[in-house]
Coordinates of all heavy atoms in Angstrom, one line a residue:
H528 N -10.7 -12.1 -3.3 CA -11.6 -13.1 -2.8 C -11.6 -14.4 -3.6 O -11.8 -14.4 -4.7 CB -13.0 -12.5 -3.0 CG -14.2 -13.2 -2.6 ND1 -15.2 -13.7 -3.4 CD2 -14.5 -13.8 -1.3 CE1 -16.1 -14.4 -2.7 NE2 -15.6 -14.4 -1.4
R529 N -11.1 -15.4 -2.9 CA -10.9 -16.8 -3.5 C -9.7 -16.6 -4.7 O -9.7 -17.4 -5.6 CB -12.1 -17.3 -4.1 CG -13.3 -17.3 -3.3 CD -14.6 -17.9 -3.9 NE -15.7 -17.6 -3.2 CZ -17.0 -17.7 -3.6 NH1 -17.2 -18.4 -4.8 NH2 -18.0 -17.3 -3.0
E555 N -8.0 -14.5 -0.1 CA -9.0 -15.2 0.8 C -9.3 -16.5 0.3 O -9.1 -16.7 -1.0 CB -10.3 -14.2 0.8 CG -11.3 -14.8 1.8 CD -12.4 -15.6 1.2 OE1 -12.3 -16.0 0.0 OE2 -13.4 -15.9 1.9
D557 N -11.3 -20.6 1.2 CA -12.3 -21.4 2.0 C -11.8 -22.8 2.2 O -11.3 -23.5 1.3 CB -13.6 -21.5 1.2 CG -14.1 -20.1 0.8 OD1 -14.8 -19.4 1.6 OD2 -14.0 -19.7 -0.4
H570 N -14.9 -23.7 -2.1 CA -16.0 -22.8 -1.4 C -17.2 -23.6 -1.3 O -17.8 -23.7 -0.1 CB -16.3 -21.6 -2.5 CG -17.3 -20.8 -1.9 ND1 -18.7 -21.1 -2.3 CD2 -17.4 -19.8 -1.0 CE1 -19.5 -20.2 -1.5 NE2 -18.7 -19.4 -0.8
L636 N -6.3 -14.7 4.3 CA -7.5 -14.5 5.0 C -8.2 -16.0 4.8 O -8.8 -16.1 3.7 CB -8.3 -13.4 4.5 CG -9.8 -13.1 5.0 CD1 -9.6 -13.0 6.7 CD2 -10.4 -12.0 4.5
E638 N -10.9 -18.7 5.4 CA -12.2 -19.0 5.9 C -12.5 -20.4 6.2 O -12.3 -21.3 5.4 CB -13.3 -18.6 5.0 CG -14.7 -18.7 5.6 CD -15.8 -18.3 4.7 OE1 -15.6 -17.5 3.7 OE2 -17.0 -18.7 4.9
K640 N -15.0 -23.0 6.1 CA -16.3 -23.0 5.5 C -17.2 -24.2 6.1 O -16.8 -25.2 6.2 CB -16.1 -23.1 4.0 CG -17.4 -23.2 3.2 CD -18.2 -21.9 3.3 CE -17.8 -20.7 2.5 NZ -18.5 -19.5 2.9
Q674 N -11.1 -16.7 9.6 CA -12.5 -16.1 9.7 C -13.5 -17.2 9.5 O -13.3 -18.2 8.9 CB -12.7 -14.9 8.8 CG -12.7 -15.3 7.3 CD -13.1 -14.2 6.4 OE1 -13.4 -13.1 6.8 NE2 -13.1 -14.5 5.0
F676 N -18.2 -17.6 9.4 CA -19.6 -17.2 9.6 C -20.1 -17.7 11.0 O -21.1 -17.2 11.4 CB -20.6 -17.6 8.5 CG -20.5 -16.8 7.3 CD1 -19.8 -17.3 6.3 CD2 -21.1 -15.5 7.1 CE1 -19.8 -16.6 5.0 CE2 -21.1 -14.7 5.9 CZ -20.4 -15.4 4.9
L696 N -17.5 -13.3 10.3 CA -18.2 -12.9 9.0 C -19.7 -12.6 9.4 O -20.4 -13.4 9.8 CB -18.1 -14.0 8.0 CG -16.9 -14.1 7.3 CD1 -16.6 -15.4 6.6 CD2 -16.7 -12.9 6.2
W745 N -17.2 -7.4 2.2 CA -17.3 -8.2 1.1 C -18.5 -8.1 0.4 O -19.5 -7.7 0.9 CB -17.0 -9.6 1.4 CG -17.7 -10.1 2.6 CD1 -17.4 -10.0 3.9 CD2 -19.0 -10.8 2.7 NE1 -18.4 -10.6 4.8 CE2 -19.3 -11.1 4.0 CE3 -19.8 -11.3 1.6 CZ2 -20.5 -11.7 4.3 CZ3 -21.1 -11.9 1.9 CH2 -21.4 -12.1 3.3
T746 N -18.7 -8.6 -0.9 CA -17.6 -8.8 -1.9 C -17.9 -7.7 -2.9 O -18.9 -7.6 -3.4 CB -17.8 -10.1 -2.6 OG1 -17.6 -11.2 -1.5 CG2 -16.7 -10.3 -3.6
I765 N -12.9 -6.8 0.2 CA -12.7 -8.2 -0.3 C -13.3 -8.1 -1.6 O -14.5 -7.9 -1.8 CB -13.1 -9.2 0.7 CG1 -12.5 -9.2 2.1 CG2 -13.0 -10.6 0.1 CD1 -13.2 -9.9 3.1
Ligands
G3P261 O1 -14.5 -13.4 2.9 C1 -15.9 -13.1 2.7 C2 -16.6 -14.0 1.9 O2 -15.8 -15.0 1.3 C3 -17.7 -14.7 2.6 O3 -18.7 -15.2 1.6 O4 -19.7 -17.2 0.5 O5 -17.8 -16.0 -0.6 O6 -17.3 -17.4 1.4 P1 -18.3 -16.5 0.8

Side-chain angles (χ1 to χ4, degrees):
H528 183 237
R529 313 181 198 168
E555 188 261 8
D557 304 278
H570 177 270
L636 175 57
E638 181 184 344
K640 180 56 81 189
Q674 65 170 359
F676 282 103
L696 281 163
W745 46 274
T746 303
I765 301 168

